[in-house]
């Protein structure tokens, strides 16, 4: 039997011309003996399972007579002429041979939506011996049933180990479904339908890289989020041969000393700034932004791919840009001493920072210097260099004077002031994480941020002033007020620190800033900032304006970064059309689809954020994998029913302490006091509390870190001086059952008030405390 395999059996059945029973197959192949017959039975089961053969009612086996009348197919090719070819998703080439040719018949509803790799449920019609026509019944989600993982070979065969930390099991891979994948490959597997099997299996559809590739971490994260760094050929071709336009129809700003101010590692410079004082004490500001709309016209290959991506994505080791490098790092990058096309916002503010007037023009500029935040700040503080010395008086000082006015206006307006620290991962030449540092934030960062916010406000106002919404839509950046239940949670939490937040009032950012100012005097101010941040709604893009709560602005749009945000490109196009600024304006089709596009780019932004966070998690987990068993200081960053999340102070890595590892008590999750509280011993583990942990697992593939309590933290981790309300009674006290009080309340219905153990000992005394290089609002 060793010389007989499934391929021989399949060819026998295929060539017989009629169905064959198991006995007939055994006789034809000379199979004798009980052991060999058992092996034959197993092979027949495998072939049937893979649908290479069909078991008839009488027990005989035959090959399928073509494809069923309906089934799921995957688009494999779209030809330059627009013809769309597909293949069945359940097809094993090793056992069934070459798949049939399936041509998708165009229709008005679904055809234009399909892309290579997309899946659809289709109605099939046979038009030749191995040729079919398919009519799409409905499109299917291409991502839901695809798993990204690592190929590993075991004694029983190949498996796919998912890169998703939430995955609970591995997937089997049949030999015929490997499609050339090897040990250590990172691959996409498509989950296959299984009947009566305890383990799921996948068919490998694409190998995306190797686990030992230095760029594997970012590669995993971008594929998980549905992102791609590969450019379609037509997009790359469209980016070639473009040139900077002439001065015709443009304002000449080449002699104005506009400068760019960015991070030291920035490669694209999409904004240049200038300020000059006016006789009335106000300032004339210019914010010149790369004129991406001139090069990227709606419906072009460049536009189609930019809209699909929605935005650039920033990883610790690379950037996945929205536009090809010919544009993002060259023609649309405002490099010093080179003519560049821009859309310029002229803005005039009074001495109180009010925007008095504005004007948008298409311009030609020459940046007079490429400056770095820290370099500009040093010059302002008296430490100039060869580049900043001649710029200090005519350029840098007026910028800071205008910034001081805008900053004061922002404070008066009451925009939310959550200046939380940001960490930057340090990557070496081998693409390995070697450390982490806190990003420095100086006034030069805030200066650029305020200039960009003002330009964004001016853009929204300018479109509104000239627009018929049906002609010139504005894609607003909206930020809704926090939900009432979230505010109630904030109120109860800050009351534990003796800070009050009145009930029933209409919440404005000013009130939250008042809490932050009071919290600044406490050693745990970072915790209150974090809780307030988590109470905020998600900012999104929309054609209907509700204002921006966090910035305390009635209208706000993104205008200043069209190289890396499609929303800004849409705003540019509306301005161009509204003010007759030449070609590249917004089209009728965009106007009709504006709600759909706004929703799409809000989604791509969230996908990029998830990818960026997961890449950071993987880098830090990989970095920590050499430190298993080591102890680390950290803070509790999350409290859940299944355990504690801890952020490590040194690396910024996040890890989980599973509930089961907390030890000798039964813990309940008290959401109001953001804590796990032991029912028997009263131990408390509270959000924001300092804690010492030991690293037990770190997986760079999934980005997960598993922690356990170090000896010194097994007694709990609480916040000194905090008095909290809880529905969980303290140790040694049972809930009252009499009267009207509910569980966790005394006879009068009042919540228990419990001081931390530290506060009890000290009579309530405060104690002692234990790809992005652009400003956030640009």
């Amino acid at each position: 039997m060793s010389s007989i395999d499934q391929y021989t059996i399949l060819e026998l059945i295929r060539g017989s011309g009629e169905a064959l029973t198991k006995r007939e197959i055994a006789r034809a192949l000379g199979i004798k003996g009980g052991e060999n017959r058992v092996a034959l039975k197993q092979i027949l089961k495998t072939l049937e399972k893979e649908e290479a053969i069909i078991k008839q009612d009488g027990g005989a086996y035959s090959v399928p007579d073509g494809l069923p009348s309906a089934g799921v197919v995957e688009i494999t090719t779209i030809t330059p002429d627009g013809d769309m070819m597909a293949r069945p998703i359940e097809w094993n080439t090793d056992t069934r041979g070459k798949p049939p040719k399936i041509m998708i018949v165009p229709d008005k509803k679904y055809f234009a939506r399909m892309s290579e790799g997309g899946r659809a449920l289709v109605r099939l019609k046979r038009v030749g011996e191995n040729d079919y026509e398919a009519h799409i019944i409905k499109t299917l989600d291409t991502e839901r049933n695809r798993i990204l993982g690592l190929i590993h070979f075991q004694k029983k065969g190949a498996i796919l180990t998912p890169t998703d930390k939430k995955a609970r099991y591995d997937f089997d891979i049949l030999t015929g479904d490997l499609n050339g994948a090897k040990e250590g490959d990172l691959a996409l597997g498509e989950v296959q339908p299984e009947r009566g099997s305890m383990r799921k299996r996948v068919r490998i559809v694409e190998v995306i890289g190797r686990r030992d590739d230095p760029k594997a971490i970012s590669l995993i994260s971008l594929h998980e989020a549905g992102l791609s760094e590969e450019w379609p050929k037509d997009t790359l071709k469209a980016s070639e041969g473009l040139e900077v336009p002439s001065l015709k129809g443009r304002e000449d700003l080449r002699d104005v000393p506009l400068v760019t101010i960015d991070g030291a590692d920035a490669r694209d410079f999409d904004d240049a700034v200038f300020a000059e004082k006016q006789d009335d004490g106000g300032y004339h500001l210019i914010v010149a932004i790369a004129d991406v709309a001139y090069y990227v016209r709606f419906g072009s290959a460049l536009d189609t791919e930019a809209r699909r991506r929605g935005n650039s994505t920033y990883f610790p080791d690379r950037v996945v840009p929205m536009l090809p490098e010919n544009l993002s790092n060259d023609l649309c990058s405002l490099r010093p001493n080179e003519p560049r096309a821009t859309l310029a916002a002229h803005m005039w503010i009074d001495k109180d920072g009010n925007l008095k007037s504005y004007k948008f023009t298409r311009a030609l500029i020459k940046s007079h210097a490429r400056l770095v935040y820290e370099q500009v700040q040093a010059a302002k503080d008296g430490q100039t260099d060869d580049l900043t010395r001649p710029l200090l008086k005519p350029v840098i000082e007026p910028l800071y004077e205008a910034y001081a006015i805008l900053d004061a206006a922002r404070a008066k307006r009451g925009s939310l002031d959550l200046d939380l620290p940001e960490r930057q991962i340090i990557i070496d030449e081998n693409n390995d994480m070697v450390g982490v540092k806190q990003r420095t934030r100086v006034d030069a960062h805030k200066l650029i941020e305020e200039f960009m916010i003002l330009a964004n406000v001016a853009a929204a106002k300018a479109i509104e002033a000239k627009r018929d919404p049906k002609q010139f839509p504005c894609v607003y950046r909206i930020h809704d007020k926090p939900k009432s239940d979230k505010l109630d949670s904030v109120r109860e939490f800050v009351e534990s620190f003796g800070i009050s937040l009145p009930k029933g009032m209409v919440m404005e950012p000013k009130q939250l800033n008042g809490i932050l100012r009071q919290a600044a005097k406490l050693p745990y101010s970072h915790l209150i900032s974090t809780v307030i941040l988590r109470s905020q709604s998600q900012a999104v893009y929309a054609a209907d304006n509700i204002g921006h709560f966090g910035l305390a602005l009635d209208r706000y749009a993104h205008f200043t970064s069209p190289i890396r945000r499609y929303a800004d490109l849409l705003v540019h196009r509306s301005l161009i059309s509204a003010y007759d600024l030449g070609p590249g304006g917004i089209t009728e089709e965009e106007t009709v689809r504006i709600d759909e596009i706004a929703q799409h780019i809000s989604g791509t932004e969230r996908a990029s954020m998830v990818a960026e966070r997961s890449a950071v998690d993987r880098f830090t987990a990989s970095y920590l994998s050499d430190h298993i068993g080591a102890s680390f200081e950290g803070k509790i960053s999350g409290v859940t029913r299944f355990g504690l999340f801890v952020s490590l102070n040194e690396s910024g890595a996040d890890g989980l302490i599973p509930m089961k590892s907390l030890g000798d008590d039964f813990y309940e999750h008290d959401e109001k006091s953001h804590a796990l509280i032991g029912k028997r011993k009263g131990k408390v583990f509270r959000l924001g509390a300092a804690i010492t942990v030991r690293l037990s697992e770190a997986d760079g593939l999934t980005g997960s870190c598993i922690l356990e309590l170090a000896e010194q933290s097994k007694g709990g981790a609480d916040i000194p001086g905090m008095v909290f309300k809880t529905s969980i009674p303290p140790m040694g006290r049972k809930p009252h059952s009499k009267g009207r009080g509910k569980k966790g309340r005394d006879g009068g219905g009042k919540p228990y008030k419990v001081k931390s153990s530290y506060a009890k000992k000290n009579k309530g005394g405060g104690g002692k405390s234990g790809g992005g290089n652009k400003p956030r609002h640009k």
Side-chain angles (χ1 to χ4, degrees), residues 278 280-285 347-357 401-402 405-406 409 454:
Q278 305 291 285
D280 61 359
Y283 279 80
H284 169 217
L285 280 58
M347 299 167 290
W348 288 267
I349 60 171
D350 62 21
K351 58 184 176 58
D352 296 319
N354 298 307
L355 180 61
K356 305 302 292 182
S357 60
E401 291 165 4
I405 292 174
L406 293 174
L454 186 68

Side-chain angles (χ1 to χ4, degrees), residues 391-623:
L391 297 172
L392 181 62
K393 292 294 182 182
V395 176
I396 295 175
E397 287 187 353
L399 288 174
Y400 273 91
E401 291 165 4
Y403 157 65
I405 292 174
L406 293 174
D407 189 48
R410 175 178 180 144
K412 183 178 180 180
R413 190 173 73 240
S415 64
L416 195 56
D417 188 16
L418 284 170
D419 198 6
L420 294 170
E422 291 185 49
R423 287 185 172 90
Q424 179 181 0
I425 289 179
I426 304 170
I427 305 294
D428 68 9
E429 63 277 4
N430 297 320
N431 231 55
D432 292 325
M433 176 178 169
V434 293
V436 64
K437 67 178 181 180
Q438 186 167 313
R439 289 187 183 274
T440 57
R441 183 166 164 82
V442 295
D443 281 348
H445 289 90
K446 300 175 184 178
L447 182 158
I448 291 298
E449 187 174 281
E450 289 303 324
F451 273 58
M452 298 305 112
I453 289 174
L454 186 68
N456 289 336
V457 170
K461 284 188 172 184
I463 294 173
E464 286 186 358
K466 271 266 184 142
R467 75 167 180 156
D468 172 351
K470 295 180 180 179
Q471 274 189 304
F472 314 125
C474 182
V475 175
Y476 295 96
R477 179 66 166 178
I478 62 171
H479 182 219
D480 205 355
K481 295 179 180 180
K483 304 298 182 186
S484 59
D485 58 331
K486 294 286 185 71
L487 286 176
D488 288 342
S489 179
V490 171
R491 180 180 295 107
E492 291 175 356
F493 188 72
V494 300
E495 283 177 354
S496 304
F497 291 91
I499 299 173
S500 62
L501 183 63
K503 292 184 179 180
M505 63 188 299
V506 177
M507 183 56 58
E508 299 292 342
K510 285 183 178 181
Q511 280 77 45
L512 295 178
N513 283 337
I515 292 176
L516 293 171
R517 282 193 296 272
Q518 294 180 65
K521 305 170 187 176
L522 301 173
Y524 288 89
S525 60
H526 69 279
L527 173 58
I528 294 177
S529 295
T530 298
V531 170
I532 290 177
L533 177 63
R534 291 179 180 178
S535 73
Q536 300 301 301
S537 302
Q538 175 75 47
V540 296
Y541 295 108
D544 295 322
N545 183 33
I546 61 170
H548 196 293
F549 176 82
L551 292 175
L553 291 169
D554 293 331
R555 58 188 58 80
Y556 189 66
H558 274 166
F559 161 79
T560 55
S561 292
I563 289 179
R564 60 189 181 91
R565 289 189 308 227
Y566 194 80
D568 303 54
L569 179 55
L570 291 170
V571 169
H572 278 226
R573 288 172 176 167
S574 277
L575 285 167
I576 290 166
S577 293
Y579 289 86
D580 297 320
L581 298 179
I586 199 157
T587 65
E588 183 178 350
E589 183 177 345
E590 287 174 283
T591 301
V592 171
R593 295 176 54 195
I594 201 70
D595 290 318
E596 171 200 333
I597 296 172
Q599 186 176 7
H600 166 71
I601 58 181
S602 295
T604 61
E605 179 188 39
R606 287 192 293 272
S608 290
M609 291 170 61
V610 169
E612 290 164 355
R613 282 199 299 266
S614 69
V616 169
D617 288 344
R618 287 187 170 92
F619 270 106
T620 51
S622 181
Y623 172 67

Side-chain angles (χ1 to χ4, degrees), residues 13 19 47-48 51-56 59-66:
I13 299 172
L47 290 171
E48 183 185 2
E51 299 184 1
I53 61 175
I54 298 173
K55 190 174 184 179
Q56 307 289 354
Y61 295 92
S62 65
V63 294
D65 183 21

Side-chain angles (χ1 to χ4, degrees), residues 38-155:
V38 170
L40 172 62
K41 182 179 179 181
Q42 186 59 47
I43 289 175
L44 290 171
K45 278 188 175 181
T46 300
L47 290 171
E48 183 185 2
K49 186 178 181 181
E50 294 180 2
E51 299 184 1
I53 61 175
I54 298 173
K55 190 174 184 179
Q56 307 289 354
D57 291 340
Y61 295 92
S62 65
V63 294
D65 183 21
L67 296 176
S69 60
V72 178
V73 300
E74 177 183 322
I75 307 303
T76 56
T77 307
I78 300 177
T79 69
D81 295 330
D83 293 334
M84 194 177 294
M85 308 303 295
R87 60 161 283 167
I89 65 162
E90 295 181 37
W91 191 272
N92 188 333
T93 55
D94 290 331
T95 58
R96 303 181 69 176
K98 189 177 179 180
K101 293 180 181 179
I102 303 174
M103 176 175 283
I104 305 296
V105 177
D107 61 18
K108 293 182 179 180
K109 188 173 183 181
Y110 298 113
F111 191 82
R113 300 185 196 174
M114 300 303 296
S115 59
E116 290 186 7
R119 297 183 307 132
L121 176 64
V122 298
R123 186 171 63 254
L124 292 160
K125 178 183 178 182
R126 195 169 195 167
V127 293
E129 183 178 351
N130 207 34
D131 298 320
Y132 290 81
E133 286 182 351
H135 295 263
I136 299 176
I137 298 172
K138 67 175 181 178
T139 58
L140 302 176
D141 180 4
T142 60
E143 302 299 329
R144 184 177 301 166
N145 292 318
R146 291 196 172 185
I147 306 294
L148 178 62
L150 181 67
I151 300 290
H152 181 57
F153 285 84
Q154 299 178 328
K155 288 183 179 180

